[in-house]
Structures are given as structure tokens and as C-alpha cells.
Amino acid sequence: MSITILGPLASGGRKLPLYSARVPAGFPSPAADHIEKHISLDELFDIRAPHVYLVRIDGDSMQGAGIFSGDLVVVDRSIDAVSGDIVIAALNSDPFCKRLLLRENAVVLVSENPIYPARHVMEGDELVIWGVVKYSVRDHDNT
């Protein structure tokens, strides 16, 4: 798996309408056109620039966590990673997206695809956590 860091997000985006009715995946109800309020993606994703940035994911090792190749992830650098977090990091200068597990005296980087083995961080390895993945964004346009 590889990643592409797209850069920090700027705050102060345009507010978009939020509809109060839930939208069914079948045929929408004609009464579902009531706008509850306007929100910004900054508020929704709790973006606090310059601590938040976007990363494009390349590979299938995190698909079990719902992160697929081509997805964008919203990463927060201001959060200290804890066991169980999905992180953007570098191990010996190789960037990746993995789940961080801290076990007694061991650090383990786990893929969310069973075809990839867990990677134990060994003495002498250099692990740098770049940030914690907070959200993923998928493009559903097939063109």
C-alpha cells in the first residue's frame, strides 16, 4: 500500500444544506425536501487547519476498515495515536496506512485485509506517526 499526501486543509469553506429527512437508497419520498440547516464540511469533519490534511490511499490492505484504494482520508496530526487507531505513518521511511496496536512491550502495525501479515516494529526500526485517520471520503463517480 502506498499513500499520497495531498496537503493541509484550509478552514472557512462554504456551508452546504443538510436535509432533515433520511434519504432511502430506493425511491425518495416527495416530502424529503426539507432543509434543516446549513453546515460546512469543516464543522462536520472537525477540521482545525493546519493540523488536518488529506491523504490519498493506494492499495487494498485497509479495505476491512472501509478504506479502499483511491479513497481520501482526513488525517489529524494534533491527536496522539492510541492502540486501535488507524494511522498514517512511516516505518523506516516507508509511508503507509495501518491500524496501530500497542501490546505490553510491542508495537504492531495491522492491515485490515487478511492476505497481509501484521508487521511488528522491531528494535532498530524507526516508526514515525504522522497522524490519526478520522474520516474517509470515497468518490462514487465511475467515470
Side-chain angles (χ1 to χ4, degrees), residues 22-78:
R22 294 188 183 267
V23 178
F27 294 102
S29 165
D33 58 90
H34 303 288
I35 296 175
E36 180 179 329
K37 64 179 180 175
H38 284 78
I39 62 169
S40 75
L41 292 178
D42 297 354
E43 292 170 6
L44 184 64
F45 291 142
D46 192 26
I47 294 171
R48 298 178 313 264
H51 305 298
V52 178
Y53 62 99
L54 291 176
V55 173
R56 184 171 307 278
I57 300 298
D58 181 25
D60 62 356
S61 71
M62 293 305 289
Q63 67 185 14
I67 301 173
F68 297 90
S69 190
D71 284 358
L72 293 175
V73 291
V74 178
V75 180
D76 192 329
R77 293 179 29 208
S78 69

Side-chain angles (χ1 to χ4, degrees), residues 13 46 121 143:
D46 192 26
V121 178
T143 58

